Amino acid sequence: MVLYNKVYAIECKASLSPKLSVGNFNALEDISPMLTFVVVPASGSESWPMKKDIEVVSLTELIAKIGATL
C-alpha cells in the first residue's frame, strides 16, 4: 500500500499465530516498505513483534499506527 508516498506492507491472516512464507519475505525485500504489518483478528489495540521490522497488529492498531506516520 502506498499512502502519501510512503510504502507499507500489509498481510492479513485469519490466525492469532500467523506465519509468513518465503514468498512474503522475498516480496518485502523487493518493495522495501517503510513499515510491515501482519493483521490478525485480535481485539482492541493488541500488537506484538513477529520479527525484526515486522509487527503483528489488530485492525484497530493498524489504523492507529498508520495514522501516526502521516
Side-chain angles (χ1 to χ4, degrees):
M1 173 175 128
V2 178
L3 185 63
Y4 298 108
N5 294 322
K6 297 177 184 176
V7 178
Y8 303 91
I10 301 170
E11 175 76 16
C12 297
K13 298 290 188 180
S15 169
L16 288 174
S17 302
K19 293 182 171 59
L20 296 179
S21 68
V22 172
N24 290 115
F25 291 108
N26 290 339
L28 292 174
E29 281 185 36
D30 289 345
I31 65 171
S32 300
M34 180 181 142
L35 296 170
T36 301
F37 298 106
V38 178
V39 182
V40 298
S43 60
S45 60
E46 290 185 71
S47 68
W48 58 91
M50 175 183 241
K51 292 187 179 280
K52 183 179 183 291
D53 299 327
I54 301 175
E55 190 167 1
V56 178
V57 297
S58 67
L59 184 56
T60 303
E61 191 65 12
L62 173 68
I63 293 166
K65 287 185 180 278
I66 289 179
T69 67
L70 300 178

